Amino acid sequence: MKTPISGPRVQPRPLETPATPAPVRNEVKPQAPVVRGDARDVSLFDTGGARKPAVALNTPVAPQGTNVAPGTYPSVADVKAIASIQDPVARNYAITQGYSDLSNGLGQMLGKDNANWSTFATWASKQAGVSIRNEDMPKFFTDALKGAGDMAGPLKHVDDMMRKLGLPALPLADIAAAGSEALNNVSKSIADGNQFVFNEVGQEFARFIETFQGDTSYDAAKTAKYLDGFGKDKPLLKEAFGNYTKAMFEKDPNKKAELMLLANDQIGLHEQTQLQKHVEKALNAPVKDTFRDILKQSIESGINAMPFPANLAGKAALKTGLVDAALNPLVDATASVFRRVATEHMMKLAVPGGALKLGNDLPPPPGMETTLFPPHLRSIENPELRTLLGKLDSSSDSLKGTAAKDWSKLDQRMNYIIDLFRTRQQDPHLFDAPFGKTGTTYPLPATQQRAG
């Protein structure tokens, strides 16, 4: 039995008269647990071993006063140590497992009927590892270049210039090589962002667990002192973790789900805002610089390989800026194609039941094709959450228009993320181990790696 929260509570609504019965809150009706056990509902990240037993969607809430076993989640010091690992691949494995262990630690305190932000971050981090290891987009870019109508004009203009200089047409392989180099730059930016967010937000999850584990009732003074530990430059994080403290002792499942979603969205907005420079660096300026440098080097090499005096026209074109002027439209068009392909093929997230492409509208979870959202989140009554969703959601209570056509745009990312959180928050398989195994013992050796 949960101990009632001792802080301020929302006053209950007055009883309706028999003539005007109140609508059912969030359409929740008594029903048997929905069991997920068939193949399509198994997490894509299970990496072998026996099939996990089916899990009921209404996972019981953790008992009050739960103590999280020492060493089963990274402490604040452990988070810092993981973030300091130099090898980006090894660091990403440790970050992903760390997020999972923090998610489970918080889940033991708040219950696993609702995913917390770290639960979602586990899978985002694992997906980031695919890009960090350059395992995606091997030929998508070249194929997209061949079929991109907006490439035809700029490419023809460069080829015409090269023909006048006595050079062969610009090889598509050179553009593909530039794409490969740009992908390396994207991978580094993703790794840097993965490191930055874990170091900042991961410490706050560890601090929350260390502060409130074992508590059996809401302590307003303790909560206020804890929240004072947030910097003035982190108001969203302060509000989010304040909402987690409220959710920990909230008995109404609808109000609890909304508090969890509000906290998740607030952390999501904070970290995506902080990530903006990393995302822009990944998808914008370095791409153009890379394409311009490699394509210009290709043309310069061709000119320098020509005998005198045939190379004079080419050298003059380089000196006067004619080559740069011809390349600029091609560089812009190529970078635009790269961003679209990166969003479509790199920016994706695997979740239990399927892989989500962030460039497409978010699909409803299996079994929720008509309702879209889990029972406790089908209608939103928390005024603060309604206000936040109103600012971030371009299509209220709908998944239409959620596609992020350009992932470098913060508003497009958040429009997708808030619906991702709302639709999947009560999927218990999000708590699955990301590498098909249980957590580790902390602190981690700096060189430790895990097979993914």
Side-chain angles (χ1 to χ4, degrees):
M1 177 74 70
K2 294 182 180 178
T3 303
I5 187 170
S6 61
R9 299 297 300 274
V10 177
Q11 295 298 318
R13 300 185 184 87
L15 296 176
E16 301 285 351
T17 65
T20 56
V24 178
R25 169 73 164 92
N26 270 335
E27 306 176 23
V28 179
K29 301 177 181 179
Q31 56 185 327
V34 179
V35 176
R36 304 181 59 166
D38 60 29
R40 71 177 183 173
D41 289 330
V42 175
S43 170
L44 295 183
F45 293 128
D46 290 343
T47 56
R51 173 87 53 86
K52 287 182 171 66
V55 179
L57 283 176
N58 57 346
T59 307
V61 177
Q64 296 301 321
T66 298
N67 282 302
V68 184
T72 60
Y73 70 95
S75 66
V76 171
D78 296 329
V79 169
K80 294 178 181 178
I82 292 171
S84 69
I85 296 174
Q86 295 301 304
D87 180 353
V89 173
R91 184 176 64 232
N92 171 259
Y93 279 125
I95 286 174
T96 303
Q97 186 65 55
Y99 273 137
S100 178
D101 296 337
L102 288 168
S103 164
N104 279 286
L106 205 71
Q108 290 181 52
M109 298 166 62
L110 277 69
K112 294 187 177 181
D113 45 349
N114 292 282
N116 56 70
W117 180 88
S118 192
T119 318
F120 289 101
T122 301
W123 306 111
S125 180
K126 178 156 188 175
Q127 187 65 49
V130 176
S131 295
I132 291 170
R133 297 188 297 273
N134 282 345
E135 293 175 355
D136 50 7
M137 214 174 75
K139 62 186 290 291
F140 294 126
F141 178 61
T142 302
D143 291 344
L145 286 174
K146 293 178 180 178
D150 51 356
M151 288 286 298
L155 188 58
K156 182 179 183 300
H157 185 58
V158 172
D159 287 344
D160 288 344
M161 176 199 68
M162 295 185 70
R163 185 171 59 254
K164 291 177 182 179
L165 297 177
L167 296 170
L170 189 66
L172 191 61
D174 287 348
I175 301 180
S180 178
E181 181 63 26
L183 180 59
N184 289 333
N185 291 336
V186 168
S187 298
K188 184 181 185 306
S189 295
I190 291 174
D192 290 346
N194 185 234
Q195 177 188 38
F196 175 83
V197 171
F198 180 74
N199 188 46
E200 180 185 50
V201 184
Q203 288 187 50
E204 298 302 343
F205 272 89
R207 193 167 71 91
F208 182 95
I209 296 172
E210 292 167 358
T211 300
F212 294 106
Q213 60 171 318
D215 285 10
T216 57
S217 62
Y218 183 85
D219 186 329
K222 180 177 181 179
T223 300
K225 182 178 179 180
Y226 160 76
L227 294 176
D228 285 342
F230 286 88
K232 293 183 179 180
D233 60 335
K234 300 177 182 179
L236 281 172
L237 285 187
K238 180 177 181 178
E239 293 176 18
F241 282 92
N243 285 318
Y244 280 150
T245 65
K246 297 174 185 177
M248 184 160 47
F249 302 106
E250 178 57 66
K251 298 172 68 174
D252 184 308
N254 296 299
K255 294 178 182 177
K256 179 167 185 164
E258 292 185 7
L259 283 169
M260 291 293 293
L261 180 59
L262 176 58
N264 292 342
D265 286 346
Q266 287 169 328
I267 298 176
L269 179 57
H270 171 86
E271 60 101 9
Q272 287 299 323
T273 302
Q274 296 294 96
L275 277 176
Q276 185 63 24
K277 61 182 179 181
H278 296 284
V279 175
E280 290 179 346
K281 185 177 181 181
L283 296 179
N284 292 324
V287 175
K288 288 188 178 183
D289 293 344
T290 300
F291 281 112
R292 181 176 289 104
D293 290 346
I294 291 182
L295 297 182
K296 188 172 182 179
Q297 287 175 13
S298 176
I299 294 174
E300 286 180 343
S301 296
I303 292 173
N304 291 333
M306 297 174 67
F308 178 85
N311 62 1
L312 291 178
K315 289 183 178 294
L318 287 170
K319 187 174 182 179
T320 60
L322 178 63
V323 171
D324 288 327
L327 278 179
N328 285 338
L330 178 60
V331 167
D332 289 342
T334 306
S336 178
V337 172
F338 183 90
R339 284 197 299 271
R340 290 201 303 269
V341 174
T343 297
E344 181 179 357
H345 295 284
M346 290 179 61
M347 303 306 171
K348 56 189 176 184
L349 177 67
V351 295
L356 303 175
K357 291 185 177 181
L358 308 184
N360 297 341
D361 277 354
L362 178 70
M368 297 185 191
E369 288 77 9
T370 57
T371 59
L372 304 183
F373 308 108
H376 298 305
L377 292 171
R378 285 177 191 162
S379 65
I380 301 297
E381 295 189 6
N382 182 299
E384 189 176 358
L385 178 57
R386 289 174 65 89
T387 298
L388 184 61
L389 293 179
K391 293 178 180 179
L392 301 176
D393 195 345
S394 65
S395 54
S396 177
D397 296 328
S398 170
L399 301 183
K400 293 182 179 179
T402 51
K405 296 303 183 183
D406 187 344
W407 197 245
S408 69
K409 305 298 184 182
L410 176 62
D411 60 337
Q412 292 189 33
R413 294 203 305 277
M414 288 309 306
N415 184 51
Y416 190 97
I417 289 169
I418 59 171
D419 279 319
L420 170 68
F421 286 176
R422 185 178 174 187
T423 56
R424 269 75 181 176
Q425 181 170 295
Q426 295 187 330
D427 182 351
H429 287 290
L430 287 172
F431 284 95
D432 288 351
F435 302 116
K437 62 186 74 173
T438 56
T440 187
T441 300
Y442 293 94
L444 286 170
T447 59
Q448 180 169 349
Q449 298 187 34
R450 292 177 179 78

